[in-house]
Amino acid sequence: MSGELVTIFGGSGFIGKTLVEHLAKAGYRVRVAVRRPNNALFLKPLGELGQVQLAQANVRNRASVEAAVKGADIVINLVSVLYESGSQTFEKLHVGAAGLIAEVSKASGVKKLIQISSIGADEESASKYARTKARGEKLVKENFPEATIMRLSVVFGPDDSFFNKFGAMAKSFIALPVVCGESKMQPVYVGDVADAILNVMTNDSAAGKLYEIGGPKVYTFKELLEFVNKVTEQNVQLISIPRPLAYFQAFFLGMLPNPIVTIDQLRLLEKDNIPTGEQPGLNELGVEATPVEAVVPNYLIHFRPAGQFKIAS
Ligand SMILES: NC(=O)c1ccc[n+]([C@@H]2O[C@H](COP(=O)([O-])OP(=O)(O)OC[C@H]3O[C@@H](n4cnc5c(N)ncnc54)[C@H](OP(=O)(O)O)[C@@H]3O)[C@@H](O)[C@H]2O)c1
């Protein structure tokens, strides 16, 4: 039991939930800074009584960030959005908030700061998501030079938005349009990401470093869709469509409240999403990577025609 206090921004999201569970098991006191604590009550039973606290914070509000960071030994920033809506912009969340959390953490005497970012973060990228992720990283380093940056490839796990989205689409549609099918990805298991973060927290030599976190195997996007097709036993046709048509569709789909795809996401998909091999990753953090095939079939089973109740023939 370390007893150190860890503040997690974005702890109510997909990766946050697994991370909170791992940190609580490791004996940390966890303060999860969330916009709506009432919607994050599911986190409290992940620890012992009182071990996981919820604090109200909006990373666009300095006073709430200061209050959430006060007294913390370690701060982890997981806040991000996949598309912009209203005041939830890439600029405010990926750049402004990342810089603010780093600045406030330094001023409060926080010992370690971990900034979670994405593979593909690049100030020159065609994607605004990737550009703002890179600018956020830069601001974090300016305000808190010993911060550790962890760039992730696509993350999978029971509540992921990647495999579940395509599983649901395979179940609902007779054909799936595929664009950038040749782009490479190296999916990493959410439990491995949480272990990697935990190891960064306990390893002083991780200070100031950049890690690129990918899984054990590289796939093309099309191979992953074929895998979803196989696991869900849906015989969906995968139809490669020309890029201009995909962008045309995304232009309209991107206007929906919870868009299935946006133009910015297509720009991101144009590039491979795999570690460069020039930075340390899971291996260096002592985490053995879990294969996609060992986990994903278990939670995509309910997208099969007869769900989990298929009678063995
Ligand atoms: N999942 C992946 O495949 C993947 C891949 C590469 C990189 N990453 C990176 O990993 C990190 C975590 O990803 P995730 O998949 O766990 O994301 P997620 O499920 O979308 O969670 C994002 C979190 O940010 C919070 N948030 C959003 N706006 C906020 C605001 N204004 N103030 C405070 N909190 C706010 C959300 O809380 P609310 O409930 O309040 O909205 C949520 O808890 C991100 O940096 C992401 O870029 C993820």
Side-chain angles (χ1 to χ4, degrees), residues 9-16 33-36 57-60 77-82 88 93-94 116-119 129 133 151-156 161-162 273:
F9 290 95
S12 58
F14 163 53
I15 297 172
V34 288
R35 286 189 289 174
R36 291 173 288 268
N58 186 325
V59 293
R60 293 183 274 114
N77 180 18
L78 291 163
V79 171
S80 180
V81 280
L82 284 172
Q88 289 281 94
L93 298 181
H94 295 169
I116 304 300
S117 186
S118 301
I119 284 179
Y129 173 93
K133 279 288 195 186
R151 290 183 179 171
L152 315 181
S153 186
V154 175
V155 184
F156 66 91
S161 52
F162 184 83
N273 192 275

Side-chain angles (χ1 to χ4, degrees), residues 81-84 89-95 129 132 264:
V81 280
L82 284 172
Y83 54 87
E84 302 187 297
T89 62
F90 290 144
E91 188 66 34
K92 285 184 180 158
L93 298 181
H94 295 169
V95 187
Y129 173 93
T132 51
D264 200 67

